[in-house]
């Protein structure tokens, strides 16, 4: 099995999510028990909803438990260099439109495009991994191939993470 990079902060968030999910189990079991006591289960919307909630909860717990042993936890405060790697904050310019994008490269389990982080496994992440300032890359995107120039690569550590 392949190791999955994750920041220390991302790992802690996932660990906390797992604890929170496990803490929800008793309430869901109680809801199922109460719904069962209402009688006919074939027309019991409360029972169906509680069972569905339980199924989604257990699926997420199983998923997180399966990922935990694969995580390669990295401390963003110890990373550095001049190449785009996990933990780097990269600024790229679309060569055609001259639009600038800035994001931090993280693992798939802690990347959040809305917060300015992308996965090293995303098309953009894969295209820029190992590249440095001044390099040009081509990214296969839904709108076609897009050519970018890497404007800067820097390491801001955990202080550079959104919401940190």
């Amino acid at each position: 099995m392949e190791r999955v990079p994750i920041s220390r902060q991302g790992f802690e968030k996932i660990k906390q999510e797992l604890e929170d999910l496990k803490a929800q189990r008793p309430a869901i079991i109680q809801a199922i028990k109460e719904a069962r006591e209402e009688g006919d289960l074939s027309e019991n919307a409360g029972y169906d909803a509680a069972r569905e909630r339980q199924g989604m909860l257990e699926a997420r717990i199983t998923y997180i438990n399966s990922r935990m042993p694969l995580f390669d936890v990295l401390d963003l405060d110890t990373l550095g260099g001049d190449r785009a790697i996990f933990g780097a904050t990269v600024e790229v310019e679309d060569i055609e439109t001259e639009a600038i994008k800035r994001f931090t490269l993280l693992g798939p389990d802690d990347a959040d495009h809305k917060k300015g982080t992308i996965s090293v496994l995303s098309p953009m992440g894969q295209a820029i991994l190992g590249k440095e300032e001044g390099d040009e890359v081509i990214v296969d995107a839904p709108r076609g191939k897009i050519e970018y120039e890497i404007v800067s690569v820097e390491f801001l550590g955990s202080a550079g993470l959104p919401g940190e």
Side-chain angles (χ1 to χ4, degrees):
M1 292 201 190
E2 200 168 313
R3 304 290 293 168
V4 179
I6 190 168
S7 68
R8 184 175 31 80
Q9 295 82 355
F11 182 75
E12 292 303 322
K13 283 180 187 171
I14 288 179
K15 235 171 61 173
Q16 184 61 52
E17 179 186 357
L18 183 60
E19 288 174 25
D20 294 346
L21 291 171
K22 287 180 177 180
Q24 292 176 32
R25 278 177 167 158
I28 292 175
I29 291 168
Q30 183 63 32
I32 291 170
K33 180 182 174 195
E34 289 171 7
R36 262 196 205 127
E37 291 170 356
E38 292 176 11
D40 185 10
L41 297 181
S42 65
E43 295 181 18
N44 189 328
Y47 177 78
D48 291 340
R51 289 293 302 199
E52 185 176 338
R53 234 174 80 215
Q54 182 185 40
M56 292 188 322
L57 177 91
E58 293 302 328
R60 183 68 181 156
I61 289 172
T62 299
Y63 174 77
I64 293 173
N65 277 330
S66 72
R67 299 287 285 175
M68 293 297 258
L70 303 177
F71 287 144
D72 188 6
V73 181
L74 301 169
D75 184 350
L76 297 177
D77 294 325
T78 64
L79 302 174
D82 56 0
R83 295 192 176 272
I85 61 170
F86 180 92
T89 298
V90 182
E91 192 169 281
V92 297
E93 179 180 359
D94 183 319
I95 291 177
E96 185 179 318
T97 66
E98 297 183 357
I100 301 282
K101 294 182 180 182
R102 182 181 175 86
F103 45 79
T104 301
L105 289 168
L106 294 176
D109 293 281
D110 51 353
D112 183 347
H113 185 71
K114 293 175 189 161
K115 292 184 177 178
T117 60
I118 66 168
S119 170
V120 293
L121 302 179
S122 68
M124 174 67 87
Q126 288 289 291
I128 66 174
L129 266 181
K131 304 293 193 243
E132 55 191 16
E133 193 175 308
D135 287 350
E136 292 184 3
V137 297
I138 296 175
V139 177
D140 280 321
R143 68 176 196 186
K145 293 187 183 301
I146 305 170
E147 194 171 353
Y148 291 97
E149 178 180 344
I150 298 177
V151 177
S152 68
V153 176
E154 57 187 332
F155 291 83
L156 305 174
S158 59
L161 287 180
E164 296 298 322

